[in-house]
Amino acid sequence: MVIAFVRTIVLYLFIIAGIRLMGKRQVGELEPSELVLALIIADLAAVPMQDFGIPLLSGVIPILTLLAITMIISMLSMKSVKFRALLCGRPSIIVENGKLHQREMRKNRFTVDELMEELRMKGVTDISTVKYAILETNGQISVLPYSDQKPPIAADVNIQTTESGLPLVIINDGRVLEHNLKTRGYDEAWLGKQLQAHGAKTPKEVYLLTADEGGRVYFAAKEGQE
């Protein structure tokens, strides 16, 4: 039992370290080579986890080999555009100037239903308002509407805005993050005033409190607290 526990923990940590090398991506954003790697690693790790007669190295060495190959492929992809296109493919224009490219859709086995779903998820209901819809190499759709269909921004209507900056979490589920408090240039006295202003007596009554560079504060009390 102890051996099974140790082997599982070792392989689990090893796989996590390997997946970290692939970068911070979700499953739906993986390139084909990265998805294949993840599936093979999972299969290789499952065998020594279940069969104690197989040495642990029999699972570790193939995983190390795959990770090394992945690093080499990544380096080659960074240095060679042709190699990257061969390995990952190229983006395909599905919609151009409001018209469907049916040949590209058939080539990528991309159905109309899938396209309509992706457009709805981007807030688009009328294909004629789309300048370009591009099927990226990771399977995601990038939608670029016509300029007159884009929502206006502050610069378009000559509105002066101020940058709020990145908000830092000061209290997280009742715990005060001292480092973030000092980073914002505040102290315990400032924090006490914020708690009092929002009707909280102690940090334990606070679920979330953030402060940005402009001094704006977001406060959320714990549910059930007055």
Side-chain angles (χ1 to χ4, degrees):
M1 185 65 69
V2 176
I3 295 177
F5 179 77
V6 173
R7 288 165 68 99
T8 302
I9 293 297
V10 170
L11 287 170
Y12 175 77
L13 295 176
F14 193 73
I15 293 173
I16 291 297
I19 296 299
R20 287 283 291 164
L21 294 176
M22 296 167 58
K24 297 181 179 179
R25 298 198 190 191
Q26 299 178 2
V27 174
E29 299 175 345
L30 296 178
E31 299 288 355
S33 60
E34 295 172 333
L35 180 59
V36 170
L37 173 67
L39 294 174
I40 294 177
I41 287 179
D43 189 56
L44 288 173
V47 175
M49 278 186 187
Q50 298 172 356
D51 191 347
F52 300 156
I54 299 177
L56 191 60
L57 285 178
S58 297
V60 172
I61 292 177
I63 294 175
L64 274 176
T65 303
L66 286 173
L67 292 176
I69 293 174
T70 300
M71 295 302 295
I72 294 173
I73 290 176
S74 297
M75 293 300 296
L76 291 175
S77 297
M78 292 176 63
K79 294 182 178 297
S80 174
V81 175
K82 291 183 179 180
F83 182 81
R84 183 165 62 251
L86 177 64
L87 183 68
C88 303
R90 296 180 182 275
S92 298
I93 298 178
I94 302 299
V95 179
E96 184 175 11
N97 296 325
K99 296 182 179 179
L100 295 175
H101 284 195
Q102 299 180 32
R103 182 177 179 182
E104 287 296 319
M105 293 183 66
R106 287 194 295 268
K107 176 183 175 181
N108 290 279
R109 293 175 293 281
F110 198 73
T111 66
V112 172
D113 291 336
E114 291 173 327
L115 174 61
M116 297 305 295
E117 179 182 354
E118 291 287 344
L119 291 178
R120 288 194 299 271
M121 292 176 65
K122 298 293 192 301
V124 177
T125 57
D126 187 356
I127 296 180
S128 64
T129 64
V130 177
K131 178 68 174 178
Y132 293 107
I134 304 171
L135 179 62
E136 306 293 354
T137 57
N138 59 12
Q140 302 292 318
I141 290 285
S142 298
V143 179
L144 306 177
Y146 283 98
S147 59
D148 60 353
Q149 297 294 325
K150 295 180 181 179
I153 60 176
D156 295 332
V157 292
N158 296 321
I159 296 178
Q160 298 296 323
T161 61
T162 58
E163 295 291 341
S164 60
L166 179 68
L168 292 182
V169 177
I170 306 300
I171 299 179
N172 181 354
D173 197 9
R175 297 182 297 272
V176 178
L177 305 184
E178 298 289 348
H179 176 74
N180 289 350
L181 183 64
K182 294 178 180 178
T183 298
R184 277 287 169 262
Y186 300 136
D187 54 18
E188 295 293 339
W190 175 89
L191 183 59
K193 291 179 180 179
Q194 293 299 321
L195 295 177
Q196 184 178 8
H198 292 90
K201 296 180 180 178
T202 67
K204 293 187 179 298
E205 300 177 14
V206 182
Y207 184 73
L208 176 65
L209 189 148
T210 66
D212 61 26
E213 296 175 10
R216 282 179 283 271
V217 173
Y218 174 83
F219 177 91
K222 284 187 177 181
E223 292 184 355
Q225 300 287 343
E226 294 296 329

